[in-house]
Amino acid sequence: AQSVTQPDIHITVSEGASLELRCNYSYGATPYLFWYVQSPGQGLQLLLKYFSGDTLVQGIKGFEAEFKRSQSSFNLRKPSVHWSDAAEYFCAVQQGAQKLVFGQGTRLTINP
Amino acid sequence: EPEVTQTPSHQVTQMGQEVILRCVPISNHLYFYWYRQILGQKVEFLVSFYNNEISEKSEIFDDQFSVERPDGSNFTLKIRSTKLEDSAMYFCASSEDGRSTDTQYFGPGTRLTVL
């Protein structure tokens, strides 16, 4: 069965600094990969997704992610974080047609 | 922008009681889902639903759980006799047509507390 690991439970960065959130997956074929963000009191919002093609995927809010098959990774990046980026970030892989398998989540705190 | 809504935002119940969590999916979506997140744990898939039938369910989704689309807009999750371990955040999601490349849109969640 597919699985997703987010090694960092909590990350703190300063406003304006760059950000990389790690995600590793376990899947035999080409995975369908997603990053979702959850702000307090909000639902899970899709940031970006990868199905095939270009391994560098652009998303909303200035985020991007790179699919690296050799490393089984799909890390999320942002060149300069804003205080409004403080949230919980979830990496997920599609299992079958409809089921998403999520990682543990990474809580991002932004220092002013 | 259309969004998935869920009510209530927080539900407190006594162990053994029945609860119904409600969701209004995006109006033109055909596939509906429930996920849950126990505090400190991963978001877990519970069930997917299409054309008034369960299309897939996890091992968590036992006989205590049921789902229903009682009318053209609502999608509900019923827990028949709640247990302490059912305390979690429950997320509803919907997607347009259920293809593996389709995006699931999530609601804000209902926090269920079982005392």
Side-chain angles (χ1 to χ4, degrees):
Chain A
Q2 290 89 322
S3 66
V4 176
T5 302
Q6 293 179 248
D8 305 305
I9 302 289
H10 185 201
I11 282 184
T12 300
V13 299
S14 298
E15 190 167 16
S18 63
L19 171 70
E20 183 168 27
L21 302 183
R22 296 183 290 165
C23 172
N24 293 99
Y25 66 89
S26 167
Y27 188 64
T30 299
Y32 293 164
L33 294 160
F34 305 81
W35 275 99
Y36 282 85
V37 61
Q38 184 184 28
S39 300
Q42 305 295 312
L44 296 165
Q45 181 184 24
L46 181 70
L47 285 176
L48 46 79
K49 58 188 178 184
Y50 172 78
F51 294 144
S52 64
D54 193 346
T55 56
L56 185 62
V57 181
Q58 301 298 320
I60 63 171
K61 304 185 181 189
F63 285 92
E64 66 179 27
E66 186 170 12
F67 170 62
K68 292 186 178 179
R69 184 188 300 277
S70 61
Q71 298 175 20
S72 298
S73 69
F74 189 57
N75 294 349
L76 182 72
R77 301 194 295 245
K78 186 169 184 178
S80 175
V81 297
H82 186 261
W83 62 267
S84 60
D85 293 324
E88 184 105 20
Y89 291 80
F90 295 92
C91 182
V93 64
Q94 184 97 32
Q95 180 173 315
Q98 294 152 22
K99 175 180 172 181
L100 291 175
V101 175
F102 285 87
Q104 187 85 8
T106 297
R107 184 158 60 93
L108 176 65
T109 299
I110 308 292
N111 279 338
Chain B
E1 184 178 327
E3 57 182 20
V4 176
T5 59
Q6 291 185 242
T7 54
S9 56
H10 191 190
Q11 172 101 37
V12 181
T13 189
Q14 296 290 326
M15 191 169 55
Q17 295 296 305
E18 174 183 287
V19 294
I20 298 176
L21 309 183
R22 301 180 193 280
C23 168
V24 179
I26 295 173
S27 62
N28 64 329
H29 285 186
L30 301 177
Y31 280 79
F32 315 117
Y33 313 84
W34 283 102
Y35 290 80
R36 79 171 185 189
Q37 184 183 28
I38 295 171
L39 188 64
Q41 298 186 23
K42 298 182 178 186
V43 176
E44 303 170 288
F45 171 82
L46 291 178
V47 66
S48 59
F49 188 86
Y50 169 71
N51 198 26
N52 283 317
E53 288 184 350
I54 290 173
S55 49
E56 187 176 353
K57 63 181 181 179
S58 71
E59 60 275 10
I60 303 168
F61 195 87
D62 62 21
D63 292 344
Q64 291 297 314
F65 292 90
S66 61
V67 288
E68 189 180 26
R69 185 143 164 91
D71 53 45
S73 59
N74 289 283
F75 178 52
T76 62
L77 174 69
K78 182 194 290 186
I79 308 176
R80 227 175 306 279
S81 176
T82 50
K83 308 183 185 79
L84 294 176
E85 55 265 35
D86 294 327
S87 294
M89 180 74 90
Y90 288 81
F91 294 104
C92 174
S94 68
S95 66
E96 197 166 345
D97 57 20
R99 289 172 299 160
S100 55
T101 54
D102 206 9
T103 295
Q104 294 184 25
Y105 294 87
F106 284 78
T110 293
R111 180 168 297 284
L112 176 65
T113 302
V114 182
L115 303 176

